[in-house]
Amino acid sequence: MLRADFAIRHAGRLLTMEARRDDPYGTILDGALAAFLGRVVWVGPDARFEANVALAGDAVDAGGCLVTPGLVDAHTHPVFAGSRADEFAERLSGVAYADQQGGERGIQRTVLATRAASEDDLVCLAVERAHRFLAHGTTTIEAKTGYGLDLEQERKLLRVLRRLAALTPLRVIPTFLGAHVVPRGVDRATYVRTIVEEMLPAFRHQARFCDVWCDAPAFTAAESRAILRRARELGYGLRMHAAQLGPGEGPSIGAELAAASVDHLEYATPAQVQALAAAGTTAVLCPGAALTVPGSPRPPLDALREYGVPVAIASDLNPGTCNSESLTFAMSAACVLWGMTPAETLIGATRGGARSLGLEGEAGRLGPGHAADCAIFDLEAPEEIPYHVGVNRVKTTVVGGRVVTPP
Ligand code: NIG
Ligand code: FE
């Protein structure tokens, strides 16, 4: 008998996400799950629960609903102040996102608002966003800095992320994105030197990953390489925003440095995709951002499939290109915009995201040893998740064997 202090009973379908030959979801019909001290100890058919599990405590009755692993969002920018709704509207009437990046607009505008905000105010804003993530079934996020862009301001944003993780049940994996853009008024070479010589060493124990945006409005191939190489020497995992707005060397650099993830990839070439496959890099796709940057091409999905690159789907929550904490909305967008299958998008929002974060064995699946993080959807079949476009069908979110939503 397995000892348990938490259980979910009567899941119409419980998706372990342990792929089987004929079933990418690892479905258990009329399933149940048991956990002890926050970890899954048993999953199986509900009819076998009593024979296997000694439960001290109450079980959550899923009432025939669909149970999935808690969603893993591998690309978010949750620490910012201010709004850019006017820029969103402007893009719809034909202004390009890249053309909004000059002067005090675009990312620079969010940097000004975020610098002006107190740490406590940023914590409050981030906590509200965390609650929206949890309400939409997301239990783990990768969370970037990138709106401070100097040593003290980036340090402030990393402190906000630490406080966010302590204040909410959401699991937060911090990424240092000092290389988001060159801040206004600072010479490029000086800024790159500051990142390499001061920020990267200073934040080594505050951030698990280092991210660089390699695209025309941001960093060149040479700058990106220099920053990422130094980050790798210091022990950071590597992520990139690359080939989002135009073709370029970004994805090749990600492959060359065996980055954990290369994200966006709208303009990546099939040869670059092949290199990413060989490097074992996860492609993190951000369909919500593509949706609000008019003219964004479909990422090279045929090549990603052909070469077997692991894919994650992410919300890319940020004030510029996608102000949404809903990963299920991103799944719908990936299906509708790009013709991804519902199965590809759920894999991307669970085990694909976990893989890109080095959390395999921890998140994104429901098997013994994994964190007992689950989303219970008021739905029957996995295809219904992206099918219900823009509607939140998550009834209950569980983190570490504890119901966190509704509170
Ligand atoms: O992932 N491309 C760069 N970074 C974000 C947008 C940030 C912003 O516009 O504030 C993205 O799309
Ligand atoms: Fe982003």
mmCIF file of all heavy atoms in Angstrom, residues 75 77 80 84 87 91 97 101 106-108 110 144 146-147 177 180-181 213 215 218 241-242 244-245 263-264 286 289-290 293 316-322, ligand 1:
data_model
loop_
_atom_site.group_PDB
_atom_site.id
_atom_site.type_symbol
_atom_site.label_atom_id
_atom_site.label_comp_id
_atom_site.label_asym_id
_atom_site.label_seq_id
_atom_site.Cartn_x
_atom_site.Cartn_y
_atom_site.Cartn_z
ATOM 1 N N HIS A 75 8.026 30.627 -21.542
ATOM 2 C CA HIS A 75 8.497 31.935 -22.039
ATOM 3 C C HIS A 75 7.519 33.003 -21.564
ATOM 4 O O HIS A 75 6.442 33.166 -22.144
ATOM 5 C CB HIS A 75 8.588 31.892 -23.570
ATOM 6 C CG HIS A 75 9.110 33.141 -24.214
ATOM 7 N ND1 HIS A 75 9.979 33.115 -25.285
ATOM 8 C CD2 HIS A 75 8.885 34.468 -23.967
ATOM 9 C CE1 HIS A 75 10.270 34.358 -25.666
ATOM 10 N NE2 HIS A 75 9.598 35.197 -24.880
ATOM 11 N N HIS A 77 7.262 37.187 -19.612
ATOM 12 C CA HIS A 77 7.899 38.420 -19.116
ATOM 13 C C HIS A 77 6.928 39.025 -18.082
ATOM 14 O O HIS A 77 6.205 39.977 -18.412
ATOM 15 C CB HIS A 77 8.085 39.443 -20.233
ATOM 16 C CG HIS A 77 8.810 38.980 -21.471
ATOM 17 N ND1 HIS A 77 10.017 39.506 -21.872
ATOM 18 C CD2 HIS A 77 8.495 38.061 -22.431
ATOM 19 C CE1 HIS A 77 10.413 38.945 -23.021
ATOM 20 N NE2 HIS A 77 9.499 38.068 -23.385
ATOM 21 N N PHE A 80 6.631 43.827 -15.178
ATOM 22 C CA PHE A 80 6.646 45.099 -15.901
ATOM 23 C C PHE A 80 5.539 45.989 -15.357
ATOM 24 O O PHE A 80 4.578 45.511 -14.754
ATOM 25 C CB PHE A 80 6.450 44.882 -17.418
ATOM 26 C CG PHE A 80 5.115 44.296 -17.806
ATOM 27 C CD1 PHE A 80 4.008 45.118 -18.025
ATOM 28 C CD2 PHE A 80 4.946 42.931 -17.939
ATOM 29 C CE1 PHE A 80 2.762 44.569 -18.387
ATOM 30 C CE2 PHE A 80 3.705 42.385 -18.301
ATOM 31 C CZ PHE A 80 2.626 43.204 -18.522
ATOM 32 N N ARG A 84 0.818 49.202 -23.064
ATOM 33 C CA ARG A 84 1.089 49.660 -24.444
ATOM 34 C C ARG A 84 -0.084 49.313 -25.345
ATOM 35 O O ARG A 84 0.094 48.948 -26.511
ATOM 36 C CB ARG A 84 2.419 49.063 -24.932
ATOM 37 C CG ARG A 84 3.589 49.829 -24.320
ATOM 38 C CD ARG A 84 4.932 49.174 -24.332
ATOM 39 N NE ARG A 84 5.291 48.468 -25.510
ATOM 40 C CZ ARG A 84 6.113 47.392 -25.504
ATOM 41 N NH1 ARG A 84 6.604 46.930 -24.370
ATOM 42 N NH2 ARG A 84 6.410 46.788 -26.620
ATOM 43 N N GLU A 87 -0.150 51.058 -28.653
ATOM 44 C CA GLU A 87 0.737 50.518 -29.695
ATOM 45 C C GLU A 87 0.109 49.278 -30.347
ATOM 46 O O GLU A 87 0.267 49.039 -31.547
ATOM 47 C CB GLU A 87 2.106 50.161 -29.106
ATOM 48 C CG GLU A 87 2.871 51.385 -28.634
ATOM 49 C CD GLU A 87 4.219 51.050 -27.993
ATOM 50 O OE1 GLU A 87 4.715 49.924 -28.163
ATOM 51 O OE2 GLU A 87 4.771 51.930 -27.304
ATOM 52 N N ARG A 91 -0.675 49.007 -34.355
ATOM 53 C CA ARG A 91 -0.201 47.927 -35.242
ATOM 54 C C ARG A 91 -1.337 47.384 -36.111
ATOM 55 O O ARG A 91 -1.134 46.985 -37.253
ATOM 56 C CB ARG A 91 0.410 46.775 -34.442
ATOM 57 C CG ARG A 91 1.791 47.078 -33.904
ATOM 58 C CD ARG A 91 2.580 45.818 -33.630
ATOM 59 N NE ARG A 91 2.006 44.942 -32.614
ATOM 60 C CZ ARG A 91 2.036 45.168 -31.315
ATOM 61 N NH1 ARG A 91 2.608 46.249 -30.831
ATOM 62 N NH2 ARG A 91 1.486 44.307 -30.472
ATOM 63 N N TYR A 97 5.670 46.444 -35.764
ATOM 64 C CA TYR A 97 6.204 46.347 -34.396
ATOM 65 C C TYR A 97 7.638 46.885 -34.353
ATOM 66 O O TYR A 97 7.995 47.646 -33.454
ATOM 67 C CB TYR A 97 6.137 44.887 -33.936
ATOM 68 C CG TYR A 97 6.792 44.629 -32.601
ATOM 69 C CD1 TYR A 97 6.174 45.016 -31.411
ATOM 70 C CD2 TYR A 97 8.031 43.987 -32.525
ATOM 71 C CE1 TYR A 97 6.774 44.778 -30.183
ATOM 72 C CE2 TYR A 97 8.640 43.740 -31.305
ATOM 73 C CZ TYR A 97 8.012 44.142 -30.140
ATOM 74 O OH TYR A 97 8.618 43.907 -28.931
ATOM 75 N N GLN A 101 9.864 50.527 -32.097
ATOM 76 C CA GLN A 101 10.925 50.330 -31.099
ATOM 77 C C GLN A 101 11.870 51.521 -30.961
ATOM 78 O O GLN A 101 12.834 51.450 -30.228
ATOM 79 C CB GLN A 101 11.715 49.045 -31.411
ATOM 80 C CG GLN A 101 10.864 47.777 -31.396
ATOM 81 C CD GLN A 101 10.086 47.589 -30.096
ATOM 82 O OE1 GLN A 101 10.649 47.687 -29.014
ATOM 83 N NE2 GLN A 101 8.778 47.346 -30.198
ATOM 84 N N GLY A 106 7.719 51.388 -27.526
ATOM 85 C CA GLY A 106 8.049 49.975 -27.516
ATOM 86 C C GLY A 106 8.658 49.542 -26.188
ATOM 87 O O GLY A 106 8.248 49.995 -25.118
ATOM 88 N N ILE A 107 9.644 48.670 -26.280
ATOM 89 C CA ILE A 107 10.253 48.113 -25.069
ATOM 90 C C ILE A 107 10.826 49.224 -24.181
ATOM 91 O O ILE A 107 10.720 49.179 -22.960
ATOM 92 C CB ILE A 107 11.328 47.080 -25.482
ATOM 93 C CG1 ILE A 107 10.641 45.872 -26.158
ATOM 94 C CG2 ILE A 107 12.140 46.624 -24.280
ATOM 95 C CD1 ILE A 107 11.596 44.836 -26.742
ATOM 96 N N GLN A 108 11.408 50.272 -24.816
ATOM 97 C CA GLN A 108 12.007 51.365 -24.027
ATOM 98 C C GLN A 108 10.957 52.046 -23.145
ATOM 99 O O GLN A 108 11.252 52.512 -22.048
ATOM 100 C CB GLN A 108 12.630 52.428 -24.950
ATOM 101 C CG GLN A 108 13.627 51.907 -25.954
ATOM 102 C CD GLN A 108 14.980 51.512 -25.340
ATOM 103 O OE1 GLN A 108 15.228 51.712 -24.151
ATOM 104 N NE2 GLN A 108 15.840 50.932 -26.153
ATOM 105 N N THR A 110 8.318 50.595 -21.803
ATOM 106 C CA THR A 110 8.082 49.723 -20.640
ATOM 107 C C THR A 110 9.262 49.788 -19.673
ATOM 108 O O THR A 110 9.080 49.712 -18.459
ATOM 109 C CB THR A 110 7.829 48.275 -21.104
ATOM 110 O OG1 THR A 110 6.690 48.268 -21.969
ATOM 111 C CG2 THR A 110 7.552 47.360 -19.931
ATOM 112 N N LYS A 144 11.186 36.069 -17.194
ATOM 113 C CA LYS A 144 12.345 36.859 -17.601
ATOM 114 C C LYS A 144 12.346 38.231 -16.935
ATOM 115 O O LYS A 144 11.280 38.801 -16.699
ATOM 116 C CB LYS A 144 12.313 37.083 -19.120
ATOM 117 C CG LYS A 144 12.257 35.792 -19.918
ATOM 118 C CD LYS A 144 12.095 36.085 -21.411
ATOM 119 C CE LYS A 144 11.623 34.865 -22.192
ATOM 120 N NZ LYS A 144 12.515 33.720 -22.138
ATOM 121 N N GLY A 146 14.381 41.983 -17.957
ATOM 122 C CA GLY A 146 14.502 42.550 -19.296
ATOM 123 C C GLY A 146 13.868 43.914 -19.456
ATOM 124 O O GLY A 146 13.907 44.497 -20.546
ATOM 125 N N TYR A 147 13.261 44.457 -18.371
ATOM 126 C CA TYR A 147 12.736 45.823 -18.451
ATOM 127 C C TYR A 147 13.431 46.733 -17.435
ATOM 128 O O TYR A 147 12.906 47.788 -17.077
ATOM 129 C CB TYR A 147 11.213 45.824 -18.231
ATOM 130 C CG TYR A 147 10.449 45.101 -19.324
ATOM 131 C CD1 TYR A 147 9.795 43.899 -19.060
ATOM 132 C CD2 TYR A 147 10.395 45.609 -20.620
ATOM 133 C CE1 TYR A 147 9.101 43.230 -20.058
ATOM 134 C CE2 TYR A 147 9.709 44.947 -21.621
ATOM 135 C CZ TYR A 147 9.058 43.758 -21.333
ATOM 136 O OH TYR A 147 8.367 43.095 -22.323
ATOM 137 N N LEU A 177 17.319 38.552 -18.627
ATOM 138 C CA LEU A 177 17.220 39.040 -20.010
ATOM 139 C C LEU A 177 17.722 40.486 -20.075
ATOM 140 O O LEU A 177 17.054 41.373 -20.583
ATOM 141 C CB LEU A 177 15.767 38.890 -20.510
ATOM 142 C CG LEU A 177 15.413 39.399 -21.908
ATOM 143 C CD1 LEU A 177 16.218 38.732 -23.012
ATOM 144 C CD2 LEU A 177 13.914 39.257 -22.202
ATOM 145 N N HIS A 180 17.839 42.324 -23.646
ATOM 146 C CA HIS A 180 16.545 42.433 -24.334
ATOM 147 C C HIS A 180 16.721 43.436 -25.480
ATOM 148 O O HIS A 180 16.540 43.089 -26.642
ATOM 149 C CB HIS A 180 15.474 42.879 -23.328
ATOM 150 C CG HIS A 180 14.068 42.577 -23.733
ATOM 151 N ND1 HIS A 180 12.981 42.886 -22.949
ATOM 152 C CD2 HIS A 180 13.569 41.990 -24.844
ATOM 153 C CE1 HIS A 180 11.875 42.511 -23.576
ATOM 154 N NE2 HIS A 180 12.201 41.966 -24.727
ATOM 155 N N VAL A 181 17.056 44.679 -25.129
ATOM 156 C CA VAL A 181 17.479 45.686 -26.132
ATOM 157 C C VAL A 181 18.563 46.533 -25.462
ATOM 158 O O VAL A 181 18.757 46.441 -24.253
ATOM 159 C CB VAL A 181 16.310 46.610 -26.582
ATOM 160 C CG1 VAL A 181 15.299 45.864 -27.420
ATOM 161 C CG2 VAL A 181 15.642 47.286 -25.391
ATOM 162 N N TRP A 213 17.968 38.620 -27.017
ATOM 163 C CA TRP A 213 17.141 38.789 -28.219
ATOM 164 C C TRP A 213 18.057 39.107 -29.399
ATOM 165 O O TRP A 213 18.626 40.195 -29.486
ATOM 166 C CB TRP A 213 16.104 39.900 -28.036
ATOM 167 C CG TRP A 213 15.176 40.007 -29.230
ATOM 168 C CD1 TRP A 213 15.000 39.080 -30.207
ATOM 169 C CD2 TRP A 213 14.315 41.096 -29.573
ATOM 170 N NE1 TRP A 213 14.073 39.508 -31.135
ATOM 171 C CE2 TRP A 213 13.638 40.744 -30.770
ATOM 172 C CE3 TRP A 213 14.036 42.330 -28.971
ATOM 173 C CZ2 TRP A 213 12.715 41.583 -31.373
ATOM 174 C CZ3 TRP A 213 13.115 43.165 -29.575
ATOM 175 C CH2 TRP A 213 12.451 42.799 -30.766
ATOM 176 N N ASP A 215 17.956 39.846 -33.021
ATOM 177 C CA ASP A 215 17.091 40.272 -34.143
ATOM 178 C C ASP A 215 17.433 41.740 -34.387
ATOM 179 O O ASP A 215 18.017 42.386 -33.505
ATOM 180 C CB ASP A 215 15.605 40.151 -33.724
ATOM 181 C CG ASP A 215 14.786 39.211 -34.634
ATOM 182 O OD1 ASP A 215 15.088 39.123 -35.834
ATOM 183 O OD2 ASP A 215 13.840 38.594 -34.113
ATOM 184 N N ALA A 218 17.426 44.565 -31.781
ATOM 185 C CA ALA A 218 18.037 44.254 -30.489
ATOM 186 C C ALA A 218 19.540 44.000 -30.641
ATOM 187 O O ALA A 218 20.301 44.932 -30.860
ATOM 188 C CB ALA A 218 17.315 43.068 -29.860
ATOM 189 N N HIS A 241 15.679 34.720 -27.849
ATOM 190 C CA HIS A 241 14.631 35.174 -28.756
ATOM 191 C C HIS A 241 15.350 35.281 -30.103
ATOM 192 O O HIS A 241 16.325 36.042 -30.203
ATOM 193 C CB HIS A 241 14.149 36.574 -28.401
ATOM 194 C CG HIS A 241 13.306 36.696 -27.172
ATOM 195 N ND1 HIS A 241 13.750 36.453 -25.900
ATOM 196 C CD2 HIS A 241 12.003 37.070 -27.050
ATOM 197 C CE1 HIS A 241 12.770 36.677 -25.043
ATOM 198 N NE2 HIS A 241 11.692 37.060 -25.710
ATOM 199 N N ALA A 242 14.890 34.576 -31.123
ATOM 200 C CA ALA A 242 15.652 34.600 -32.376
ATOM 201 C C ALA A 242 14.756 34.446 -33.588
ATOM 202 O O ALA A 242 13.768 33.713 -33.552
ATOM 203 C CB ALA A 242 16.698 33.490 -32.376
ATOM 204 N N GLN A 244 12.602 36.274 -34.861
ATOM 205 C CA GLN A 244 11.190 36.631 -34.637
ATOM 206 C C GLN A 244 10.722 37.632 -35.696
ATOM 207 O O GLN A 244 9.606 37.532 -36.199
ATOM 208 C CB GLN A 244 11.009 37.239 -33.239
ATOM 209 C CG GLN A 244 9.565 37.692 -32.938
ATOM 210 C CD GLN A 244 9.416 38.429 -31.608
ATOM 211 O OE1 GLN A 244 10.430 38.822 -31.002
ATOM 212 N NE2 GLN A 244 8.196 38.618 -31.170
ATOM 213 N N LEU A 245 11.582 38.608 -36.009
ATOM 214 C CA LEU A 245 11.155 39.681 -36.905
ATOM 215 C C LEU A 245 11.790 39.591 -38.279
ATOM 216 O O LEU A 245 11.362 40.272 -39.209
ATOM 217 C CB LEU A 245 11.463 41.049 -36.276
ATOM 218 C CG LEU A 245 10.800 41.324 -34.917
ATOM 219 C CD1 LEU A 245 11.160 42.727 -34.442
ATOM 220 C CD2 LEU A 245 9.280 41.166 -34.974
ATOM 221 N N ASP A 263 13.641 30.581 -29.154
ATOM 222 C CA ASP A 263 12.216 30.910 -29.098
ATOM 223 C C ASP A 263 11.794 31.814 -30.259
ATOM 224 O O ASP A 263 12.608 32.573 -30.790
ATOM 225 C CB ASP A 263 11.910 31.609 -27.772
ATOM 226 C CG ASP A 263 12.327 30.787 -26.548
ATOM 227 O OD1 ASP A 263 13.190 29.899 -26.684
ATOM 228 O OD2 ASP A 263 11.807 31.043 -25.453
ATOM 229 N N HIS A 264 10.540 31.727 -30.613
ATOM 230 C CA HIS A 264 9.899 32.440 -31.736
ATOM 231 C C HIS A 264 10.167 31.693 -33.052
ATOM 232 O O HIS A 264 9.307 30.988 -33.533
ATOM 233 C CB HIS A 264 10.326 33.913 -31.834
ATOM 234 C CG HIS A 264 9.807 34.745 -30.709
ATOM 235 N ND1 HIS A 264 8.496 35.130 -30.625
ATOM 236 C CD2 HIS A 264 10.410 35.259 -29.610
ATOM 237 C CE1 HIS A 264 8.311 35.854 -29.528
ATOM 238 N NE2 HIS A 264 9.459 35.935 -28.891
ATOM 239 N N CYS A 286 5.740 30.947 -29.878
ATOM 240 C CA CYS A 286 4.937 31.949 -29.175
ATOM 241 C C CYS A 286 3.836 32.462 -30.107
ATOM 242 O O CYS A 286 3.939 33.582 -30.644
ATOM 243 C CB CYS A 286 5.835 33.096 -28.718
ATOM 244 S SG CYS A 286 7.182 32.582 -27.636
ATOM 245 N N ALA A 289 2.209 36.026 -29.674
ATOM 246 C CA ALA A 289 2.996 37.175 -30.124
ATOM 247 C C ALA A 289 2.907 37.304 -31.633
ATOM 248 O O ALA A 289 2.789 38.410 -32.170
ATOM 249 C CB ALA A 289 4.452 37.026 -29.673
ATOM 250 N N ALA A 290 2.922 36.182 -32.336
ATOM 251 C CA ALA A 290 2.822 36.224 -33.799
ATOM 252 C C ALA A 290 1.485 36.849 -34.224
ATOM 253 O O ALA A 290 1.409 37.566 -35.228
ATOM 254 C CB ALA A 290 2.947 34.810 -34.368
ATOM 255 N N VAL A 293 1.735 40.659 -34.074
ATOM 256 C CA VAL A 293 2.759 41.282 -34.924
ATOM 257 C C VAL A 293 2.361 40.951 -36.355
ATOM 258 O O VAL A 293 2.736 39.914 -36.902
ATOM 259 C CB VAL A 293 4.173 40.737 -34.583
ATOM 260 C CG1 VAL A 293 5.220 41.322 -35.522
ATOM 261 C CG2 VAL A 293 4.532 41.044 -33.134
ATOM 262 N N ASP A 316 4.253 33.783 -23.834
ATOM 263 C CA ASP A 316 5.037 35.009 -24.065
ATOM 264 C C ASP A 316 4.389 36.223 -23.411
ATOM 265 O O ASP A 316 4.495 37.335 -23.929
ATOM 266 C CB ASP A 316 5.269 35.259 -25.571
ATOM 267 C CG ASP A 316 6.384 36.270 -25.840
ATOM 268 O OD1 ASP A 316 7.078 36.654 -24.889
ATOM 269 O OD2 ASP A 316 6.549 36.672 -27.000
ATOM 270 N N LEU A 317 3.704 36.027 -22.279
ATOM 271 C CA LEU A 317 3.108 37.190 -21.608
ATOM 272 C C LEU A 317 4.096 38.363 -21.568
ATOM 273 O O LEU A 317 5.186 38.220 -21.019
ATOM 274 C CB LEU A 317 2.719 36.825 -20.167
ATOM 275 C CG LEU A 317 2.475 38.056 -19.269
ATOM 276 C CD1 LEU A 317 1.183 38.756 -19.626
ATOM 277 C CD2 LEU A 317 2.528 37.711 -17.818
ATOM 278 N N ASN A 318 3.721 39.483 -22.145
ATOM 279 C CA ASN A 318 4.530 40.708 -22.094
ATOM 280 C C ASN A 318 3.654 41.869 -22.540
ATOM 281 O O ASN A 318 2.602 41.660 -23.154
ATOM 282 C CB ASN A 318 5.789 40.557 -22.982
ATOM 283 C CG ASN A 318 5.480 40.700 -24.465
ATOM 284 O OD1 ASN A 318 5.324 41.795 -24.979
ATOM 285 N ND2 ASN A 318 5.357 39.578 -25.178
ATOM 286 N N PRO A 319 4.062 43.115 -22.216
ATOM 287 C CA PRO A 319 3.173 44.248 -22.513
ATOM 288 C C PRO A 319 3.179 44.679 -23.976
ATOM 289 O O PRO A 319 2.342 45.481 -24.384
ATOM 290 C CB PRO A 319 3.763 45.371 -21.646
ATOM 291 C CG PRO A 319 5.215 45.016 -21.528
ATOM 292 C CD PRO A 319 5.263 43.516 -21.476
ATOM 293 N N GLY A 320 4.112 44.136 -24.778
ATOM 294 C CA GLY A 320 4.222 44.599 -26.161
ATOM 295 C C GLY A 320 3.490 43.697 -27.135
ATOM 296 O O GLY A 320 2.567 44.127 -27.830
ATOM 297 N N THR A 321 3.889 42.426 -27.169
ATOM 298 C CA THR A 321 3.372 41.565 -28.232
ATOM 299 C C THR A 321 2.293 40.582 -27.784
ATOM 300 O O THR A 321 1.643 39.985 -28.645
ATOM 301 C CB THR A 321 4.509 40.758 -28.891
ATOM 302 O OG1 THR A 321 5.138 39.958 -27.889
ATOM 303 C CG2 THR A 321 5.535 41.665 -29.537
ATOM 304 N N CYS A 322 2.115 40.389 -26.463
ATOM 305 C CA CYS A 322 1.080 39.432 -26.055
ATOM 306 C C CYS A 322 0.747 39.569 -24.582
ATOM 307 O O CYS A 322 1.402 38.967 -23.734
ATOM 308 C CB CYS A 322 1.539 37.998 -26.346
ATOM 309 S SG CYS A 322 0.171 36.836 -26.173
HETATM 310 O O1 NIG B 1 8.882 38.017 -26.867
HETATM 311 N N1 NIG B 1 10.847 40.210 -28.856
HETATM 312 C C1 NIG B 1 11.127 40.642 -27.804
HETATM 313 N N2 NIG B 1 10.500 40.481 -26.646
HETATM 314 C C2 NIG B 1 9.094 40.305 -26.471
HETATM 315 C C3 NIG B 1 8.348 41.568 -26.634
HETATM 316 C C4 NIG B 1 8.657 42.517 -25.550
HETATM 317 C C5 NIG B 1 7.894 43.821 -25.626
HETATM 318 O O2 NIG B 1 7.437 44.237 -26.696
HETATM 319 O O3 NIG B 1 7.788 44.436 -24.545
HETATM 320 C C6 NIG B 1 8.530 39.130 -27.253
HETATM 321 O O4 NIG B 1 7.759 39.271 -28.211
#
